[in-house]
Amino acid sequence: MFAVVAKGADPADPLSCLYTGEWPEPEVPYGWTTVSVRAASLNQHDLWTLRGVGPPTRRMPVVLGSDAAGIDEDGNEVVVHSVIGDPGAGRGDETLDPRRALLGEEHHGTFAERVAVPRRNLVPKPAGLSFEAAACLPGAWLTAYRMLFGASGLAPGDTVLVQGAGGGVSTALIALGAVAGFRVWVTSRSAERRGRAVEIGAHAAFPVGERLPERVDAVMETVGEATWAHSLRSTRPGGRIVISGATTGGMPPADLHHVFFRQLTIVGSTLGTLADLHALSRLCATHGIAPLVDRVLPLDRAREGFEALEGGGVFGKVVFTPPSAAGADRG
């Protein structure tokens, strides 16, 4: 089968470690099954793998990709939950299992024509979503769902600030926040991106670091060092900052005086549970909302998608589909 593989890691030149071509069929452990992948979405996680950032148990070489939608062995249209973990070991939450992993880490991932997954990790694809849109649910949209509805403490009418407009998580936060009845503000260095954020549902958009009209009830933080000081200044007393990423670095000054004096709560959030993914799928079906897809590429052109993500030229999600006939023939 055709697959997109990290053959190694290089922090300075990650794409030099990207292989696209023929790869063995997946092995299927007991209790697992295979899914024929119709679409798989690209995440920053895949770039981090190529840079060598990740758990020490990561295998190399490894088929990249953690999110997918496709057809299971019984012919059902499904979405793949990417978290491989034991809910019992996480006190009911598989994301808290100390040994949990994602597809594309210890187990080969979804950037292939077929992927092996635990049977319990399959969720029915919402009927109203294309495979391309559904493939974005298990990563960026599930992350945003848990940030807003599991970690933020927000209620309808509250104001939430989304740091950094344009990425998969931030566009999901905008769409989901608007549906939930939150007032959604966003930041971006780009006037074009600020404008597009408003077009897809944000109520206001501001340059990064600009003083806001008022402090917000919660901040959704995925940027890290570049926006952390602004996140602290922008949160009301007793408010929350929810962190699910740090694309510009994870070691900003903590500025603890802001934290204790204004009694801020800082919450970490990573992906979501299988139950969360079921709930997210129902939410999308009920409200008719769908992930924003920036571009769709066949797997044999995956390098183009990685280059776009690395260069910051993406608004929404990059999605891969099965290889073109020419790409499959190249092997």
Side-chain angles (χ1 to χ4, degrees):
M1 67 176 184
F2 194 95
V4 177
V5 176
K7 61 184 182 182
D10 186 340
D13 187 11
L15 297 190
S16 68
C17 299
L18 191 66
Y19 164 80
T20 59
E22 195 63 25
W23 193 257
E25 290 283 338
E27 297 180 2
V28 185
Y30 178 77
W32 290 44
T33 186
T34 57
V35 173
S36 295
V37 177
R38 292 289 187 87
S41 64
L42 177 63
N43 292 300
Q44 288 286 347
H45 178 267
D46 301 301
L47 268 177
W48 293 339
T49 298
L50 292 167
R51 292 188 177 115
V53 178
T57 54
R58 186 192 304 279
R59 69 159 74 184
M60 285 287 184
V62 65
V63 177
L64 293 167
S66 52
D67 307 336
I71 307 293
D72 70 9
E73 291 179 342
D74 298 320
N76 301 305
E77 297 183 349
V78 295
V79 176
V80 176
H81 184 224
S82 62
V83 180
I84 312 299
D86 177 7
R91 298 186 178 184
D93 183 338
E94 61 267 34
T95 69
L96 298 178
D97 176 359
R99 301 181 64 181
R100 71 110 168 97
L102 301 182
L103 291 171
E105 293 180 348
E106 295 179 35
H107 310 282
H108 288 303
T110 58
F111 292 171
E113 293 180 86
R114 285 166 291 283
V115 62
V117 298
R119 291 184 183 276
R120 73 174 298 272
N121 283 50
L122 300 183
V123 172
K125 181 180 78 67
L129 291 188
S130 67
F131 282 104
E132 292 81 2
C136 305
L137 295 184
W141 273 60
L142 185 59
T143 298
Y145 179 89
R146 190 169 201 182
M147 291 174 77
L148 285 173
F149 303 119
S152 72
L154 291 166
D158 285 348
T159 301
V160 57
L161 175 66
V162 178
Q163 292 284 20
V169 175
S170 64
T171 53
L173 287 165
I174 293 168
L176 292 171
V179 164
F182 306 145
R183 182 169 61 162
V184 182
W185 291 354
V186 302
T187 67
S188 176
R189 289 188 173 86
S190 164
E192 177 185 0
R193 286 180 171 241
R194 293 196 297 271
R196 293 192 67 184
V198 172
E199 289 175 2
I200 66 171
H203 297 90
F206 306 91
V208 171
E210 181 175 288
R211 185 184 180 94
L212 303 180
E214 60 188 67
R215 286 179 170 152
V216 301
D217 298 290
V219 177
M220 303 293 106
E221 176 64 81
T222 63
V223 180
E225 291 180 10
T227 55
W228 182 248
H230 185 248
S231 293
L232 288 173
R233 295 195 308 269
S234 300
T235 309
R236 67 163 173 80
R240 294 191 180 194
I241 301 173
V242 183
I243 308 164
S244 71
T247 55
T248 62
M251 297 295 288
D255 204 349
L256 295 178
H257 295 92
H258 271 292
V259 176
F260 74 75
F261 185 73
R262 297 217 315 280
Q263 301 183 66
L264 305 181
T265 300
I266 298 172
V267 183
S269 185
T270 297
L271 290 169
T273 65
L274 184 64
D276 290 333
L277 183 55
H278 277 284
L280 171 61
S281 296
R282 292 193 297 269
L283 181 69
C284 289
T286 300
H287 290 277
I289 56 175
L292 178 65
V293 175
D294 179 89
R295 68 193 73 186
V296 178
L297 297 167
L299 275 176
D300 49 294
R301 293 173 56 192
R303 184 175 296 273
E304 296 176 35
F306 276 86
E307 289 171 346
L309 183 63
E310 185 181 36
V314 172
F315 194 92
K317 295 291 292 181
V318 174
V319 175
F320 300 136
T321 54
S324 64
D329 289 344
R330 283 199 300 271

